[in-house]
Amino acid sequence: MSYGTSSLGSGSRTARRTFEFGRTHVVRPKGRHQATIVWLHGLGDNGSSWSQLLETLPLPNIKWICPTAPTRPVAIFGGFPCAAWFDVKDLSEDGSDDVEGLDASAAHVANLLSTEPADIKIGVGGFSMGAATALYSGTCCAHGRYGNGNPYPINLSAVVGLSGWLPCSRSLKNKIEASVETSRRAASLPVLLCHGKGDDVVLYKHGERSAEVLNSNGFRNFTFKVYNGLGHYTVPEEMDDVCKWLTARLGLDGSRS
């Protein structure tokens, strides 16, 4: 078993929370190792379930790291504890943002990727709340900083979000416009966002709105794929699209790009 902790201070004198992350599951590449992706599960799930699915994908050059979120009280469940990357009251970009929780999970992702070899491309992806955390990590990468102002330490090569939303969307414009370098990183970062029109958990309109916010804030290397009738789950068609996109964006063996 692999466990980790993460704590991020805001620079204030208030006591910082320490988050105890659960078990991390790793899917080793079956071919030449070219990329490593941290994949984040949804609310109340764990890393094991997604590692089993990812192992079946025709992506032999990717190493998958599937951590498990800390167990914490979650407002949307009336404070009942469950595995969650951050506290959430509303599964949409309209809800209040738990920046401390988001920063801690984004830092955990960065820590997991920080020990990968220098010639390996690195990325983050996820489903639902995991997608929200992945997208947040992408905006931290573009901005060069976490929400609390601490430097973001790694350069992501791909961000994937399925059935999710973009946290802290209201403050994104100021972050991306902070410098020419920030705008350049945002424009070059490959991002794939997928959402089903039949999603009754994270409504399609929230995924669509998140796509609009990313587009309007200079994320030029951005793809938004929509699936008619798809609910809050994944299907082979969607995962095929993810495989094709990752193969092309990461230049994996077998890619024409």
Side-chain angles (χ1 to χ4, degrees):
M1 290 188 181
S2 175
Y3 293 88
T5 62
S6 182
S7 63
L8 283 177
S10 62
S12 68
R13 295 180 182 178
T14 56
R16 38 172 123 170
R17 288 183 290 167
T18 298
F19 300 98
E20 296 288 340
F21 290 82
R23 181 175 180 180
T24 297
H25 300 260
V26 177
V27 179
R28 302 288 177 186
K30 299 178 179 68
R32 184 165 70 96
H33 184 197
Q34 293 177 282
T36 297
I37 296 177
V38 171
W39 191 269
L40 306 172
H41 61 76
L43 181 61
D45 201 359
N46 59 67
S48 174
S49 59
W50 274 97
S51 70
Q52 293 171 45
L53 171 62
L54 296 169
E55 193 167 20
T56 68
L57 298 182
L59 293 169
N61 307 110
I62 293 181
K63 171 185 172 182
W64 299 95
I65 301 176
C66 303
T68 298
T71 297
R72 70 178 81 200
V74 177
I76 200 172
F77 293 152
F80 186 82
C82 71
W85 299 111
F86 53 94
D87 192 15
V88 62
K89 297 178 182 176
D90 181 18
L91 298 181
S92 78
E93 81 287 353
D94 299 322
S96 59
D97 295 304
D98 172 20
V99 176
E100 187 180 11
L102 283 160
D103 278 350
S105 290
H108 190 60
V109 170
N111 289 340
L112 289 170
L113 291 169
S114 65
T115 56
E116 291 302 295
D119 61 336
I120 298 300
K121 293 181 178 178
I122 56 176
V124 59
F127 174 78
S128 190
M129 175 181 265
T133 309
L135 291 171
Y136 180 77
S137 296
T139 61
C140 289
C141 178
H143 185 220
R145 297 187 179 279
Y146 293 104
N148 65 7
N150 289 342
Y152 188 78
I154 60 174
N155 292 313
L156 298 171
S157 295
V159 178
V160 179
L162 311 183
S163 306
W165 72 95
L166 176 65
C168 303
S169 60
R170 293 178 291 271
S171 60
L172 184 60
K173 187 174 188 290
N174 289 338
K175 292 177 180 177
I176 300 305
E177 292 180 350
S179 69
V180 173
E181 178 64 17
T182 297
S183 298
R184 185 197 65 77
R185 284 197 297 263
S188 62
L189 179 62
V191 180
L192 172 65
L193 186 58
C194 302
H195 216 106
K197 284 199 167 182
D199 196 328
D200 59 354
V201 178
V202 180
L203 301 181
Y204 169 74
K205 67 179 182 179
H206 299 309
E208 184 179 46
R209 174 60 182 154
S210 296
E212 291 170 355
V213 170
L214 288 167
N215 261 327
S216 65
N217 283 287
F219 285 80
R220 304 286 176 233
N221 197 353
F222 173 71
T223 303
F224 183 45
K225 298 194 73 71
V226 180
Y227 301 86
N228 291 323
L230 178 64
H232 198 65
Y233 48 85
T234 189
V235 290
E237 178 191 355
E238 184 181 41
M239 295 313 297
D240 286 347
D241 288 338
V242 170
C243 290
K244 291 172 185 174
W245 186 87
L246 285 172
T247 298
R249 293 303 184 278
L250 298 176
L252 302 179
D253 287 349
S255 171
R256 297 177 186 175
S257 61

